[in-house]
Amino acid sequence: MLSTVWSKLIHSYYQPETDRNKKNPPVIYSVLQQTKLLELSEKEAVVGCENNGVRLFLEKKIKEIENHFFSVTKKRLKIRFVLIEKKTKKETPLLSYEPTIETRLANAGLSIKYKFENFAVSSTNQVAFAAAQAVVANPGKNYNPLFIYGGVGVGKTHLASAIGRKILENNPKKKVLFCQGDVFINELIESIQEKTTQSFRRKYRRLDVLIIDDVQFIAGKERVQEEFFHTFNSVVSAGGQIILTSDRPPNEIKKLEERLRSRFLGGLTVDIQPPDFELRTAILLIKAKEKGILLDIEAAKIIAEKITDCRALEGTLLTIYANFFVKEKKEKIDLEAVEEFFSTQKKNNQKKITVDDVLKTICSYYNIKLSQLKNNSRLSNFVFPRQVAMYFLREHLKMKQEDIARILKRKDHTTVIHGVEKIRQLLLKNPLIKEEINKITQNLNLST
Ligand code: ADP
Ligand code: MG
C-alpha cells in the first residue's frame, strides 16, 4: 500500500506515454526512485533515502514535492526525509575464481579511491551528484551522455569513477571502462599505426558503460574524433551509457567537430562549481578519516578557510600530519597544530622558490607530466600550462627569457615573450584565470 502511493507520486513526475516529446525524465524523478515511503499518517510522510546526497537534494525541493503530493493525492502532508542503510550484499565470493571488487575495478580502469560513499555533497556539486545518481539508477536509458564539466580539482574524476563503480557493484556483469581522454587518443593512434583498429573497436564499442575523463583532449584531432563518433554511436545504440568529463562545456570546446558537439549536448550537461567552505571542510574530514588521521573539526575549518584548491587540501593535510602527528607525536591534529603550521608557512614563504618547485607545482595542478610540459605538443592542455610556467619563471623567479626557453625546451625566446604576455593579459581580463594563478601561487608556497 505504502509503495503504491509512493510509486504513483514518483511516476506522476514523468509519464513518457503522454509526454512523448520528452526524451529525458526530470532528474527529480530518477532521484525519487532511490527512496522508499516508510510511514504515512494523516499529517506526515516519512521517506527513506538511500544516501545522504539523495536526502540533501530532495530536502532542497521539499516544498515542491509537498505541493506535488497534494495535487496528486489531495492530501496536505509534511514530508520528512530520513537516511536508510541500504542492505549490501556480502562481498565474500562463493567460488574462489569469482573476482573480487578490487579486481573488477582494476579491469574497468577504475581507481579504488573513488566512490559515492566518500564523495561529499554540497550546493556546488549537488546537481551533478543527483544526475550521477540518476544515471546509476538507469544506465543507458536516459541522460546519454552524462556530460560533467568544471575546473581543476572540483571532483569530476571522482564523481565519474563513482558512477562506474556503483554500476559494477549493482551488476558485476556490466562491462564498464574508465579511460583518460589522452589514453584513448594514444591507444587509437597506436592501433592505427599497428593496423589493429579491429581490436581497438572490439574493446571500446561493446561496452555497457564508457567513461572518458577529460574528453576535451580529443578536440582538434580529426581521425580520433571520427573514431570516437562511431564508438559513441555504437555504445549508445546498443543501450550502453556514456559518461564524459571536461574542463568546459561542449559549446566552449574549440575545434570539436559539430556532430560530436551535438552528440555531447544531446544528453544531460551538468557543471561542478569550485568547492565552497563547507564542502572543503567535509572533504578534509573524509580524507582524514580514510587515512586514519584524527582531525579536529575546528582545525579542519581553519585549513578549509586557507586552502581553496581541492587537490592541495589533501596535500596540506598530509604535510601537517607528517609535521605534528609523526614528528611531534601529537595525538590528533588540533587548532594549535594547524595555526603553528600556517605561521611557519608564512615564514617559509620568504624562502627561495626553485625552478623545480615551479614546474612540479604546475604539473600537479594541471595533472600533466613534466615531459608533457616540455614536449612539442600543441595540445591546448599542454600549451596553457606551459605558458603559465613561463609566466611564473619570469615573474616570480625573474629569469631571463632565453633561460626559460632552454628549460622548457622551446626553440627560441620569442615563444616565451608571447606566453608570458598572454598570461599577463588574461590576468587582467579573466577573473577565473586570476583565481587559477592565485591557487598555483598558494600551492607553490605550500610545496616549498
Ligand atoms: P577533477 O577531476 O575535477 O580535476 P578530482 O576528481 O581529481 O578533480 O578531485 C581532486 C581531489 O579532490 C580528489 O582527491 C577527490 O577525491 C577530492 N574531491 C573533490 N571533490 C570531492 C568531494 N565532493 N568529496 C570528496 N572528495 C572530493
Ligand atoms: Mg580529473
Side-chain angles (χ1 to χ4, degrees), residues 320-337:
I320 300 182
Y321 175 75
N323 285 348
F324 292 89
F325 217 65
V326 180
K327 257 195 227 151
E328 297 193 12
K329 304 214 167 19
K330 281 212 178 212
E331 285 206 346
K332 60 154 91 177
I333 297 179
D334 53 16
L335 207 57
E336 201 189 357

Side-chain angles (χ1 to χ4, degrees), residues 110-273:
L110 287 163
S111 157
I112 188 142
K113 289 190 298 191
Y114 302 138
K115 42 187 168 180
F116 282 127
E117 289 75 7
N118 62 6
F119 188 84
V121 184
S122 89
S123 56
T124 54
N125 62 8
Q126 59 148 330
V127 175
F129 178 83
Q133 296 294 324
V135 166
V136 166
N138 279 311
K141 292 280 164 5
N142 326 110
Y143 323 120
N144 219 351
L146 173 64
F147 192 102
I148 305 169
Y149 72 90
V152 177
V154 296
K156 303 180 297 290
T157 301
H158 189 142
L159 190 62
S161 308
I163 302 175
R165 179 186 180 125
K166 194 49 136 201
I167 293 176
L168 255 187
E169 281 174 350
N170 290 348
N171 183 352
K173 293 216 172 62
K174 291 259 170 177
K175 292 195 287 295
V176 176
L177 186 67
F178 177 95
C179 195
Q180 287 288 339
D182 54 339
V183 174
F184 180 84
I185 295 169
N186 290 342
E187 259 189 59
L188 176 62
I189 293 172
E190 263 169 38
S191 83
I192 295 170
Q193 279 166 355
E194 292 165 17
K195 303 198 170 49
T196 51
T197 39
Q198 285 307 325
S199 74
F200 177 88
R201 287 179 186 164
R202 259 198 307 280
K203 174 172 173 192
Y204 285 97
R205 292 194 182 181
R206 296 182 183 172
L207 293 165
D208 295 308
V209 181
L210 171 61
I211 306 166
I212 304 273
D213 197 21
D214 289 317
V215 73
Q216 75 274 1
F217 278 103
I218 70 166
K221 296 184 199 56
E222 233 172 86
R223 184 73 180 77
V224 175
Q225 296 195 66
E226 154 119 37
E227 187 64 32
F228 185 59
F229 180 73
H230 296 300
T231 310
F232 189 106
N233 291 343
S234 304
V235 172
V236 170
S237 63
Q241 173 73 44
I242 305 242
I243 298 156
L244 306 170
T245 77
S246 164
D247 61 350
R248 64 200 71 189
N251 41 14
E252 283 174 25
I253 305 179
K254 283 193 205 109
K255 296 196 186 142
L256 182 67
E257 273 185 19
E258 260 336 288
R259 54 181 184 170
L260 270 181
R261 196 189 308 279
S262 88
R263 283 287 185 285
F264 289 4
L265 287 166
L268 181 64
T269 304
V270 287
D271 73 325
I272 306 185
Q273 294 293 319

Side-chain angles (χ1 to χ4, degrees), residues 37 65 112 177 212 409 430 443:
L37 188 59
I65 299 171
I112 188 142
L177 186 67
I212 304 273
K409 297 205 163 55
N430 187 333
N443 295 357

Side-chain angles (χ1 to χ4, degrees), residues 4 28 30 62 71 82 145 147 201 203 208 220 223 235 269 275 281 283 285 308-309 320 335 352 394 397 436:
T4 337
I28 192 167
S30 307
I62 209 155
S71 70
V82 297
F147 192 102
R201 287 179 186 164
K203 174 172 173 192
D208 295 308
R223 184 73 180 77
V235 172
T269 304
T281 313
I283 292 176
L285 294 169
T308 47
D309 174 40
I320 300 182
L335 207 57
K352 215 165 158 20
R394 182 89 186 123
L397 301 193
E436 226 172 280

Side-chain angles (χ1 to χ4, degrees), residues 51-69:
N51 63 51
N52 207 31
V54 168
R55 189 176 65 90
L56 283 171
F57 179 80
L58 292 173
E59 259 170 9
K60 295 240 161 76
K61 309 210 173 288
I62 209 155
K63 278 279 156 288
E64 181 191 327
I65 299 171
E66 282 172 357
N67 289 339
H68 191 83
F69 201 108

